C-alpha cells in the first residue's frame, strides 16, 4: 500500500486516483470520475490541458441540465457497435447515444451534415437547404446479377465435381466462398458543428451485405431499401432539430424512382446465355435436371 498511497489525490475533485492505469492530463493524474466526464472531439481531447479540463468541466455541468431536460422522441440505430442517435424534437436536442448520457447538442449547434454512400453524396443539409442526390446503388446492384449468378453456378459446379471425384475427400481443394464486392460499404454520416468541443462527428452505418452462401440481388435491394428508410428518418430528424425552415431539393432524381427501377427490371440478356450453358451441362450429365431448373429460376429471377 505504501507505494501507491503516495499518489496525490485528484487535483480537480480531491478524489482517489485509481491504482491501475490512472489517467493523466499533462503531468497530473486525475480520477476516473473526472476523466469519464470527458466527451469531446479527438482533436480537442488530444490537446487537453489541466486548465482546459477545468473549463470543460464547467461546460459539462451546464450540459447536465440539457441531459435532465431531454425527452427522447426518436431513436435511430446505426447498426455498427450499437451506435445510436437520439432526438428530442420538442427541445430541439440530440445526443449520440441510446440515452442522453453523452454530450447533448442543441440543434442550432449543427452547422451542416453530409451522408455519403462511401464517397458519393446522398444527402447534404444546412440552413440553406437539404439536398438529396440520386443514388446509383440500385442500378449497380442490378448490373451485378449475372456475376452473382455465375458465382453461385461456379460453386454448385465445384460441389458437383467433388461428388464425381470417387467420393474421395480432397483436402487440397480450395473452399468456395462467394467473394462479391458490395456496390458500396457504408453510409458515411458527418455532422459539422459550431461548438467549443466538437468540430465534426463521424459515424458509419454499414451498407447491406450479400449473403455468403446464397447471394441474391433482390434480398440485397430489400435490405438497402430498409437502410434508406433509416437514413431518411435521420435526415428528417436532423432537419427538425437544426434546420426546420430548410427546403428539400432532389438533385438528379429521374421520374422513375428507386422502387420502380427495382421492380420493372427485365432479366438481363446474359441470363439467357447462362441458361443455355447450364442446359448443355445438364445434357452432358454434369449437373442434374433439378440443379438446372433451380439455376434457370434463379437466373430468370422467378
Ligand atoms: Zn476527480
Amino acid at each position: 500500500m505504501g507505494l501507491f498511497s503516495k499518489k496525490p489525490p485528484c487535483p480537480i475533485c480531491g478524489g482517489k486516483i485509481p491504482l491501475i492505469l490512472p489517467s493523466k492530463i499533462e503531468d497530473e493524474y486525475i480520477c476516473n470520475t473526472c476523466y469519464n466526464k470527458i466527451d469531446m472531439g479527438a482533436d480537442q481531447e488530444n490537446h487537453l490541458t489541466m486548465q482546459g479540463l477545468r473549463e470543460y468541466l464547467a461546460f459539462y455541468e451546464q450540459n447536465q441540465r440539457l441531459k435532465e431536460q431531454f425527452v427522447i422522441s426518436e431513436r435511430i440505430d446505426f447498426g455498427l457497435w450499437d451506435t445510436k442517435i437520439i432526438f428530442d424534437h420538442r427541445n430541439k436536442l440530440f445526443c449520440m447515444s441510446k440515452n442522453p448520457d453523452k454530450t447533448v447538442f442543441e440543434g442550432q449547434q449543427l452547422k451542416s451534415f453530409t451522408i455519403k454512400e462511401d464517397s458519393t453524396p446522398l444527402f447534404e443539409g444546412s440552413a440553406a437547404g437539404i439536398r438529396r442526390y440520386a443514388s446509383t446503388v440500385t442500378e449497380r446492384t442490378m448490373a451485378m446479377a449475372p456475376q452473382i449468378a455465375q458465382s453461385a453456378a461456379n460453386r454448385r459446379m465445384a460441389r458437383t465435381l467433388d461428388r464425381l471425384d470417387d467420393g474421395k475427400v480432397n483436402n487440397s481443394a480450395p473452399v468456395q466462398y462467394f467473394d462479391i464486392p458490395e456496390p458500396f460499404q457504408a453510409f458515411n454520416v458527418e455532422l459539422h458543428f459550431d461548438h467549443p468541443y466538437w468540430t465534426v462527428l463521424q459515424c458509419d452505418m454499414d451498407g447491406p451485405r450479400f449473403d455468403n452462401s446464397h447471394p441474391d440481388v433482390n434480398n440485397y435491394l430489400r435490405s438497402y431499401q430498409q437502410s434508406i428508410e433509416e437514413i431518411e428518418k435521420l435526415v428528417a430528424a436532423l432537419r427538425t432539430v437544426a434546420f426546420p425552415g430548410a427546403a428539400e431539393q432532389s438533385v438528379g432524381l429521374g421520374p422513375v424512382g428507386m422502387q420502380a427501377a427495382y421492380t420493372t427490371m427485365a432479366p438481363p440478356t446474359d441470363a439467357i446465355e447462362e441458361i443455355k450453358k447450364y442446359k448443355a451441362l445438364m445434357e452432358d450429365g454434369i449437373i442434374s435436371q433439378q440443379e438446372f431448373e433451380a439455376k434457370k429460376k434463379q437466373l430468370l429471377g422467378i
Side-chain angles (χ1 to χ4, degrees), residues 13 16 19 83 110 119 147-148 152 162 182 186 195 206 208 226 231 250 263 269 302:
C13 70
K16 255 194 187 160
L19 301 181
T83 309
L110 186 68
S119 56
Q147 186 200 345
I148 289 167
D162 267 359
E182 278 79 12
H195 190 281
D206 264 351
Q226 282 165 8
I231 293 287
S250 289
T263 47
T269 43
I302 52 177

Side-chain angles (χ1 to χ4, degrees), residues 10 12-13 31 34:
C10 174
I12 303 283
C13 70
C31 77
C34 290

